[in-house]
Amino acid sequence: MTRVLVLNGPNLGRLGVREPEVYGSATLADLESAATAWGSELGLDVVVRQTDDEAEIIGWVHEAVDSGAHVVLNPAAFTHYSYALRDAAAQITTAGLLLVEVHLSNPLAREDFRHVSVIGPVATGTVAGFGLESYRLALQAVAARLPG
Ligand code: DQA
């Protein structure tokens, strides 16, 4: 089965309690069960992970590249400044794999510092602004681009 790593960056472990008016009331556990269920419907083997650590998320991106897994990535605040994560993420599409950048909120409708994504230019595409649905749309986009 096609494997998809759904990787989440800093503070996303706080979903449900962190600014629910921006990020919604669903928890990371809710995200994990929803994404896994959507993956099953789409024929994808979905694994959801979250870390606050830049080195750890970069290691997971390397793992995806080396194992041939597609990636749905919510880089959280790393979106806006982590050239290290960007350099790692660039290897995903170079390897012929899909990278979908996702955001719960719409960063372009928020503070100026959120208007820049250093990840977007190396992604296959971006889905933002639809809450948990952003992840479902990202998984659908991956499934739609698979051969056969
Ligand atoms: C976020 C948007 C980022 O600007 C922010 O730093 C996050 C979450 C989102 O999912 O809307 O932590 O990536």
Short mmCIF file of all heavy atoms in Angstrom, two decimals, residues 10-12 18 22-23 74-80 102-107 110 113-114 135, ligand 1:
data_model
loop_
_atom_site.label_atom_id
_atom_site.label_comp_id
_atom_site.label_asym_id
_atom_site.label_seq_id
_atom_site.Cartn_x
_atom_site.Cartn_y
_atom_site.Cartn_z
N PRO A 10 6.00 22.27 15.18
CA PRO A 10 5.90 22.73 16.56
C PRO A 10 4.54 23.32 16.93
O PRO A 10 3.91 24.00 16.15
CB PRO A 10 6.99 23.80 16.66
CG PRO A 10 7.34 24.16 15.26
CD PRO A 10 7.06 22.96 14.42
N ASN A 11 4.15 22.98 18.16
CA ASN A 11 2.92 23.44 18.81
C ASN A 11 1.66 22.76 18.30
O ASN A 11 0.58 23.00 18.83
CB ASN A 11 2.79 24.98 18.70
CG ASN A 11 3.92 25.69 19.42
OD1 ASN A 11 4.11 25.48 20.60
ND2 ASN A 11 4.69 26.48 18.70
N LEU A 12 1.78 21.90 17.30
CA LEU A 12 0.57 21.22 16.82
C LEU A 12 0.15 20.09 17.76
O LEU A 12 -0.96 19.59 17.67
CB LEU A 12 0.76 20.74 15.38
CG LEU A 12 0.85 21.91 14.39
CD1 LEU A 12 1.23 21.42 13.00
CD2 LEU A 12 -0.46 22.69 14.32
N ARG A 18 -4.84 25.22 22.00
CA ARG A 18 -4.13 26.40 21.49
C ARG A 18 -5.01 27.18 20.53
O ARG A 18 -5.38 26.64 19.46
CB ARG A 18 -2.87 25.93 20.76
CG ARG A 18 -2.10 26.99 20.03
CD ARG A 18 -1.09 26.36 19.07
NE ARG A 18 -0.38 27.36 18.33
CZ ARG A 18 0.18 27.13 17.14
NH1 ARG A 18 0.09 25.93 16.57
NH2 ARG A 18 0.80 28.09 16.53
N VAL A 22 -8.68 29.90 16.10
CA VAL A 22 -7.87 29.88 14.87
C VAL A 22 -7.71 28.45 14.34
O VAL A 22 -7.88 28.19 13.14
CB VAL A 22 -6.46 30.47 15.12
CG1 VAL A 22 -5.60 30.35 13.86
CG2 VAL A 22 -6.56 31.91 15.58
N TYR A 23 -7.41 27.51 15.27
CA TYR A 23 -7.03 26.16 14.84
C TYR A 23 -8.12 25.11 15.06
O TYR A 23 -7.93 23.96 14.68
CB TYR A 23 -5.74 25.74 15.56
CG TYR A 23 -4.57 26.65 15.21
CD1 TYR A 23 -3.98 27.47 16.17
CD2 TYR A 23 -4.08 26.72 13.91
CE1 TYR A 23 -2.92 28.32 15.85
CE2 TYR A 23 -3.04 27.56 13.58
CZ TYR A 23 -2.45 28.36 14.55
OH TYR A 23 -1.43 29.19 14.21
N ASN A 74 2.59 19.69 7.64
CA ASN A 74 2.24 20.98 8.25
C ASN A 74 3.47 21.43 9.03
O ASN A 74 3.70 21.00 10.16
CB ASN A 74 1.03 20.87 9.18
CG ASN A 74 0.60 22.24 9.68
OD1 ASN A 74 1.37 23.21 9.63
ND2 ASN A 74 -0.62 22.35 10.16
N PRO A 75 4.28 22.31 8.43
CA PRO A 75 5.53 22.70 9.07
C PRO A 75 5.32 23.66 10.24
O PRO A 75 6.29 24.04 10.90
CB PRO A 75 6.31 23.39 7.94
CG PRO A 75 5.48 23.25 6.69
CD PRO A 75 4.08 22.96 7.14
N ALA A 76 4.07 24.10 10.46
CA ALA A 76 3.75 25.06 11.52
C ALA A 76 4.67 26.28 11.39
O ALA A 76 4.91 26.74 10.28
CB ALA A 76 3.79 24.40 12.89
N ALA A 77 5.23 26.76 12.48
CA ALA A 77 6.05 27.98 12.39
C ALA A 77 7.32 27.77 11.55
O ALA A 77 7.86 28.74 10.99
CB ALA A 77 6.42 28.49 13.78
N PHE A 78 7.80 26.54 11.42
CA PHE A 78 8.96 26.29 10.56
C PHE A 78 8.69 26.72 9.11
O PHE A 78 9.62 27.00 8.36
CB PHE A 78 9.34 24.80 10.57
CG PHE A 78 9.90 24.29 11.86
CD1 PHE A 78 9.69 22.96 12.24
CD2 PHE A 78 10.65 25.09 12.71
CE1 PHE A 78 10.21 22.46 13.43
CE2 PHE A 78 11.18 24.60 13.91
CZ PHE A 78 10.95 23.27 14.27
N THR A 79 7.41 26.73 8.75
CA THR A 79 7.01 27.19 7.40
C THR A 79 7.71 28.47 7.00
O THR A 79 8.11 28.64 5.86
CB THR A 79 5.49 27.51 7.40
OG1 THR A 79 4.78 26.38 7.88
CG2 THR A 79 5.01 27.93 6.03
N HIS A 80 7.81 29.36 7.99
CA HIS A 80 8.14 30.75 7.68
C HIS A 80 9.63 31.06 7.70
O HIS A 80 10.03 32.12 7.25
CB HIS A 80 7.38 31.67 8.64
CG HIS A 80 5.93 31.30 8.77
ND1 HIS A 80 5.08 31.28 7.68
CD2 HIS A 80 5.18 30.89 9.84
CE1 HIS A 80 3.87 30.90 8.08
NE2 HIS A 80 3.90 30.64 9.38
N VAL A 102 0.40 21.63 4.15
CA VAL A 102 -0.95 21.90 4.65
C VAL A 102 -0.91 22.87 5.82
O VAL A 102 0.07 22.89 6.58
CB VAL A 102 -1.71 20.62 5.12
CG1 VAL A 102 -1.93 19.65 4.01
CG2 VAL A 102 -1.06 19.96 6.29
N HIS A 103 -1.98 23.62 5.94
CA HIS A 103 -2.18 24.48 7.11
C HIS A 103 -3.65 24.43 7.50
O HIS A 103 -4.53 24.42 6.63
CB HIS A 103 -1.79 25.93 6.80
CG HIS A 103 -0.35 26.07 6.44
ND1 HIS A 103 0.65 26.05 7.38
CD2 HIS A 103 0.26 26.19 5.23
CE1 HIS A 103 1.82 26.17 6.77
NE2 HIS A 103 1.61 26.25 5.47
N LEU A 104 -3.88 24.43 8.80
CA LEU A 104 -5.25 24.49 9.31
C LEU A 104 -5.86 25.84 9.01
O LEU A 104 -6.99 25.95 8.54
CB LEU A 104 -5.24 24.23 10.82
CG LEU A 104 -4.79 22.82 11.23
CD1 LEU A 104 -4.13 22.84 12.59
CD2 LEU A 104 -5.96 21.87 11.21
N SER A 105 -5.10 26.89 9.35
CA SER A 105 -5.54 28.26 9.09
C SER A 105 -5.06 28.69 7.70
O SER A 105 -4.37 27.93 7.01
CB SER A 105 -4.96 29.20 10.15
OG SER A 105 -3.55 29.28 10.02
N ASN A 106 -5.44 29.89 7.31
CA ASN A 106 -4.94 30.45 6.05
C ASN A 106 -3.87 31.49 6.39
O ASN A 106 -4.20 32.63 6.72
CB ASN A 106 -6.08 31.10 5.27
CG ASN A 106 -5.57 31.76 3.99
OD1 ASN A 106 -4.38 31.69 3.68
ND2 ASN A 106 -6.46 32.38 3.25
N PRO A 107 -2.59 31.10 6.32
CA PRO A 107 -1.54 32.04 6.74
C PRO A 107 -1.58 33.36 5.99
O PRO A 107 -1.18 34.40 6.54
CB PRO A 107 -0.25 31.27 6.45
CG PRO A 107 -0.65 29.82 6.51
CD PRO A 107 -2.05 29.80 5.94
N ARG A 110 -3.43 36.14 7.71
CA ARG A 110 -3.02 36.44 9.08
C ARG A 110 -1.85 37.44 9.10
O ARG A 110 -1.70 38.22 8.17
CB ARG A 110 -2.71 35.12 9.79
CG ARG A 110 -3.93 34.16 9.79
CD ARG A 110 -3.61 32.85 10.48
NE ARG A 110 -3.26 33.07 11.87
CZ ARG A 110 -2.61 32.15 12.60
NH1 ARG A 110 -2.28 30.98 12.05
NH2 ARG A 110 -2.31 32.41 13.86
N PHE A 113 4.22 38.08 8.99
CA PHE A 113 5.32 37.10 9.02
C PHE A 113 4.88 35.73 8.54
O PHE A 113 5.71 34.90 8.15
CB PHE A 113 5.97 37.02 10.42
CG PHE A 113 5.19 36.23 11.45
CD1 PHE A 113 5.39 34.87 11.59
CD2 PHE A 113 4.28 36.85 12.29
CE1 PHE A 113 4.69 34.12 12.55
CE2 PHE A 113 3.58 36.13 13.25
CZ PHE A 113 3.78 34.76 13.37
N ARG A 114 3.55 35.47 8.54
CA ARG A 114 3.04 34.17 8.06
C ARG A 114 2.83 34.15 6.55
O ARG A 114 2.46 33.13 5.98
CB ARG A 114 1.71 33.84 8.76
CG ARG A 114 1.84 33.71 10.26
CD ARG A 114 0.51 33.24 10.87
NE ARG A 114 0.45 33.57 12.27
CZ ARG A 114 1.00 32.85 13.26
NH1 ARG A 114 1.61 31.72 13.00
NH2 ARG A 114 0.91 33.24 14.52
N TYR A 135 -6.22 18.51 5.64
CA TYR A 135 -5.48 17.23 5.57
C TYR A 135 -6.21 16.25 4.65
O TYR A 135 -5.58 15.50 3.92
CB TYR A 135 -5.32 16.63 6.96
CG TYR A 135 -4.37 17.38 7.86
CD1 TYR A 135 -4.78 18.54 8.52
CD2 TYR A 135 -3.06 16.95 8.07
CE1 TYR A 135 -3.91 19.25 9.35
CE2 TYR A 135 -2.19 17.64 8.89
CZ TYR A 135 -2.62 18.79 9.53
OH TYR A 135 -1.75 19.49 10.34
C1 DQA B 1 -0.10 26.68 10.87
C2 DQA B 1 0.11 28.16 10.50
C3 DQA B 1 1.46 28.65 11.01
O1 DQA B 1 1.64 30.03 10.69
C4 DQA B 1 1.55 28.49 12.51
O2 DQA B 1 2.84 28.85 12.96
C5 DQA B 1 1.15 27.15 13.00
C6 DQA B 1 0.06 26.44 12.35
C7 DQA B 1 -1.50 26.20 10.47
O3 DQA B 1 -1.69 24.99 10.42
O4 DQA B 1 -2.41 27.02 10.26
O5 DQA B 1 1.67 26.67 14.00
O6 DQA B 1 0.84 25.91 10.15
#
